[in-house]
Amino acid sequence: MNCEPLKEGSFKPLQLQPGYIAQNILSQRDKLNRYHSVYYYPVPEGKSGQQVVDGIQKQIELLGAVKTGNFCVDCETFQAGSGIQNTPQRQVNILHSSEQPASCFAILDTGTCLVADALFDGLMQKLKHYYQQRKGSKIESKGQRYEYGDFIFKVGSVSQASNFKGILIEIEYCPCVVAGDCMNLMKEMSQSLLGSAVAEQQSSFLKTKTDMIYTPADTMSQYLEHFNNFKKATSVNQAMNR
């Protein structure tokens, strides 16, 4: 294959407006730093989880929301092993989200969150002498994703070891990155969609973030709080049935 040399003046550098790169970096950041609130939706007695999920989805579609695919948030728990001496038995929770496929969120039982790339999963496998994965600890919330104006709704069925655990509803408000600036609007939307009883059950984690810039790690912390509640409820039920 013959390649002809470029003629003088034939190459023109890409012309970018002043501030173009900075504006696009901020735009990508704002797409991630949008306010989310995750709610637990109880399953009424006499109904199955799928029936309740179908009802919520129908209500969202009646608003005029458009289905935009599926989503999934999963969590695996690792326990400090014998390789760590003279330290309390710590846990590391590894979470993934389909909304941030290139990221991995490692949240300690102290609440500290490390955001790394997806290769962090491989690192945890190499640290199995120090942190061992709990058998049957994987829990996930997955379901349909909807868009409605400035809002995004995610209706998730929570399961652990193929067993249904409950329902989580995530509501995202795109124009806002500070919880305190849109708290009333989010409350109004959640009340109209989920009812007052559900809307009032705000994550305890969010109550400490009202005046701070919201990040994807905050969403993962909300999911972890709910996942832990599901696991505790399972432990209590098992203890009562013994």
Side-chain angles (χ1 to χ4, degrees):
M1 182 175 66
N2 296 325
C3 297
E4 298 181 359
L6 290 173
K7 296 180 181 180
E8 185 177 357
S10 62
F11 176 75
K12 296 182 180 181
L14 180 65
Q15 299 293 323
L16 296 178
Q17 296 179 357
Y20 175 85
I21 295 177
Q23 289 174 2
N24 277 270
I25 290 175
L26 290 174
S27 175
Q28 293 300 318
R29 183 205 67 181
D30 291 340
K31 287 181 181 179
L32 293 176
N33 295 355
R34 301 185 296 200
Y35 179 66
H36 304 234
S37 188
V38 183
Y39 302 90
Y40 164 67
Y41 195 95
V43 177
E45 188 174 352
K47 286 192 176 183
S48 68
Q50 188 58 51
Q51 287 176 326
V52 176
V53 167
D54 290 343
I56 297 171
Q57 290 178 345
K58 184 177 181 180
Q59 190 172 350
I60 291 174
E61 290 171 1
L62 287 174
L63 286 175
V66 179
K67 190 182 297 185
T68 56
N70 302 320
F71 82 98
C72 180
V73 176
D74 66 69
C75 173
E76 294 181 83
T77 302
F78 291 78
Q79 185 79 40
S82 58
I84 302 180
Q85 302 292 335
N86 302 321
T87 58
Q89 290 296 301
R90 294 296 189 189
Q91 292 182 2
V92 179
N93 300 282
I94 307 298
L95 292 96
H96 308 89
S97 171
S98 56
E99 297 290 295
Q100 288 88 35
S103 298
C104 177
F105 301 84
I107 305 179
L108 300 177
D109 49 9
T110 59
T112 302
C113 181
L114 168 68
V115 183
D117 62 32
L119 295 176
F120 190 82
D121 289 317
L123 176 62
M124 290 302 296
Q125 296 302 322
K126 293 183 179 297
L127 294 175
K128 59 185 178 181
H129 182 59
Y130 299 95
Y131 285 97
Q132 299 171 353
Q133 184 178 352
R134 278 188 172 181
K135 292 182 179 180
S137 67
K138 185 174 182 178
I139 185 170
E140 62 182 9
S141 176
K142 61 182 179 180
Q144 295 288 344
R145 182 183 189 276
Y146 296 87
E147 292 186 7
Y148 175 65
D150 289 331
F151 290 92
I152 296 175
F153 305 117
K154 297 174 192 145
V155 185
S157 294
V158 180
S159 61
Q160 183 179 13
S162 300
N163 296 317
F164 175 78
K165 296 297 180 182
I167 300 170
L168 293 179
I169 312 295
E170 179 185 342
I171 300 179
E172 175 181 348
Y173 183 56
C174 300
C176 188
V177 298
V178 178
D181 293 344
C182 61
M183 194 72 72
N184 292 333
L185 180 61
M186 285 288 285
K187 186 176 181 180
E188 183 178 344
M189 172 58 76
S190 59
Q191 284 178 340
S192 63
L193 184 64
L194 308 175
S196 299
V198 174
E200 292 295 335
Q201 296 177 5
Q202 187 185 53
S203 167
S204 59
F205 174 82
L206 277 184
K207 295 176 182 178
T208 65
K209 301 284 294 184
T210 55
D211 297 323
M212 302 174 67
I213 297 293
Y214 194 90
T215 69
D218 297 328
T219 305
M220 294 300 100
S221 293
Q222 288 186 73
Y223 271 102
L224 179 59
E225 181 180 329
H226 288 294
F227 287 159
N228 286 337
N229 289 338
F230 285 124
K231 291 179 180 180
K232 289 176 184 176
T234 300
S235 299
V236 170
N237 291 335
Q238 290 175 345
M240 292 177 64
N241 293 330
R242 288 176 182 174

